[in-house]
Amino acid sequence: MKPVVHSLAPHGRTGGRVYLRMIHDALADQVEWRTVPDYKRTYSLRRGRKLRHLARLTPHIRALADAPGTYLWDDLSLLLFTPEMRSRTVFVFHHYEPRQADSWPVEPWLWQRLFAVLPQCRTVVCVSAYWAEFLRRHGVRDVRVIHNAFDLTEIDEVRRRSQAECRKEFGLPLDKIAVFAGKAVHWKGVETVAGALVDAPDIHVVATGSNTIGFDGTHHDLPRTGYLRLLRACDVGVFAPQMHEGWSRCAAETTLLGLPCLIRPLAGLGDLAALTGAPPPNLDRLAEQLRDRAKTPTVETQAAYEALARFDTAYFTAAWSRILVQAAAPSI
């Protein structure tokens, strides 16, 4: 009989939702998943959405209080759990960024309460060493790092595609350096990068995502296969966020697809930059940096690929299988 694991439904396109969906997919044959709705992303208006989400989740979580099994959770609604429920919880901590708060003035208090109760969880998992140390400073003793992982069969298939054909597909100019700057959403740095390159006519900035910032440059909001082909069409990646990210799936996928990158070593991105050897962007001389970076020898980009390639789906499945097996075992 499969162990029962309860979680929020893994719907959505953010890095956190992708990570949760990967856990569900990786362990689909090993556990019986039971989910409750994640209401946060059902609201078109961001203001106050987390409070509305918590109010709507309350009856669902009360109904779970006596449910057998383990809880895999990654949301502020952990605050609605009883201490006994938390003792059966594996919590996934993605990152903490106060700029993303949408339920002021209550949300900062909710986060402080979350940090206070996280030590009650069976295990807390995060995606980088930076956040593991952050959690330990907040009193969490059992912290594990399980990095973002990647389907290398999918990645390698895109790597084999012709860059010229991909550039033609997306209409990117052949006589310019195509620079992928990440997702055009708040605090990811796309507009910062574009502003630093406004006087560089030989450099063409490309962005993806939902474009909540109104970026007026080349932008594509694509399904996954198209998004990967767009990365293949580019020459260099640059990631200069203002926010504290977990590990940045975008930056990792850009590296895996063979692009030399510049990465600002902020929060979890610092761990990714150190692992792949990516230097930081200098906005005062960014155009010059990108021209030089576009000439990076293949041996260097291959080394960065190999540093990340160990985080494949087999690694992810094995790591998460161990975590949930341990969580299902009786506490000593």
Side-chain angles (χ1 to χ4, degrees):
M1 202 169 147
K2 295 179 182 179
V4 172
V5 182
H6 306 270
S7 86
L8 290 172
H11 300 313
R13 298 169 57 190
T14 64
R17 296 306 90 197
V18 170
Y19 191 90
L20 182 60
R21 188 161 57 248
M22 284 188 65
I23 302 173
H24 276 244
D25 292 345
L27 302 183
D29 295 331
Q30 300 180 38
V31 305
E32 178 184 336
W33 290 106
R34 297 183 186 176
T35 62
V36 298
D38 184 349
Y39 295 108
K40 287 193 300 297
R41 290 160 187 83
T42 63
Y43 302 112
S44 57
L45 181 67
R46 284 179 56 86
R47 173 66 180 162
R49 69 175 182 170
K50 289 194 184 79
L51 296 182
R52 285 175 281 167
H53 162 76
L54 291 175
R56 291 179 70 182
L57 264 186
T58 298
H60 292 282
I61 290 176
R62 284 177 179 163
L64 284 179
D66 297 320
T70 302
Y71 306 99
L72 177 68
W73 224 252
D74 65 345
D75 182 73
L76 281 169
S77 52
L78 182 76
L79 295 171
L80 302 172
F81 283 31
T82 65
E84 191 279 332
M85 291 171 72
R86 292 183 196 124
S87 72
R88 292 189 280 142
T89 296
V90 175
F91 191 86
V92 183
F93 186 88
H94 299 294
H95 65 129
Y96 173 56
E97 178 48 78
R99 299 178 208 222
Q100 291 184 309
D102 54 47
S103 300
W104 290 87
V106 178
E107 189 173 342
W109 177 81
L110 293 175
W111 276 100
Q112 295 311 309
R113 289 297 306 143
L114 180 75
F115 295 141
V117 303
L118 278 179
Q120 297 175 11
C121 292
R122 182 67 179 263
T123 303
V124 180
V125 175
C126 60
V127 298
S128 78
Y130 173 91
W131 291 110
E133 181 56 32
F134 175 91
L135 289 165
R136 292 186 186 103
R137 291 199 304 269
H138 283 83
V140 181
R141 293 176 298 280
D142 190 359
V143 182
R144 316 287 180 88
V145 175
I146 302 179
H147 294 295
N148 290 315
F150 310 93
D151 180 349
L152 294 183
T153 300
E154 173 190 55
I155 292 289
D156 290 344
E157 191 280 326
V158 177
R159 281 172 66 99
R160 288 190 290 269
R161 287 179 173 267
S162 161
Q163 185 191 45
E165 289 180 6
C166 291
R167 286 178 90 98
K168 183 178 180 181
E169 176 183 356
F170 295 106
L172 300 184
L174 299 178
D175 59 344
K176 295 185 179 183
I177 298 171
V179 173
F180 179 62
K183 291 183 177 180
V185 296
H186 287 85
W187 307 296
K188 291 278 191 174
V190 168
E191 66 274 51
T192 303
V193 169
L197 298 172
V198 69
D199 294 323
D202 59 324
I203 296 177
H204 188 84
V205 178
V206 178
T208 57
S210 53
N211 200 9
T212 58
I213 60 174
F215 176 60
D216 60 4
T218 297
H219 167 264
H220 296 276
D221 192 7
L222 299 165
R224 179 159 181 79
T225 54
Y227 153 76
L228 292 176
R229 291 197 305 274
L230 179 63
L231 294 188
R232 178 71 182 105
C234 294
D235 300 298
V236 191
V238 57
F239 301 91
Q242 292 83 46
M243 64 176 284
H244 291 71
E245 296 199 54
W247 207 54
S248 181
R249 180 172 292 277
C250 255
E253 288 168 337
T254 302
T255 301
L256 283 167
L257 283 168
L259 277 68
C261 290
L262 299 172
I263 297 177
R264 184 183 181 194
L266 178 65
L269 266 178
D271 296 325
L272 181 62
L275 182 70
T276 61
N282 180 337
L283 296 178
D284 292 331
R285 52 181 295 271
L286 185 59
E288 179 185 348
Q289 270 189 305
L290 290 169
R291 293 182 191 113
D292 289 342
R293 199 75 180 130
K295 302 171 187 174
T296 300
T298 301
V299 65
E300 186 176 330
T301 57
Q302 182 63 23
Y305 167 89
E306 290 172 2
L308 284 173
R310 56 186 144 137
F311 305 121
D312 59 6
T313 50
Y315 150 83
F316 194 79
T317 300
W320 270 105
S321 181
R322 285 193 298 271
I323 289 286
L324 290 181
V325 165
Q326 292 167 2
S331 299
I332 299 174

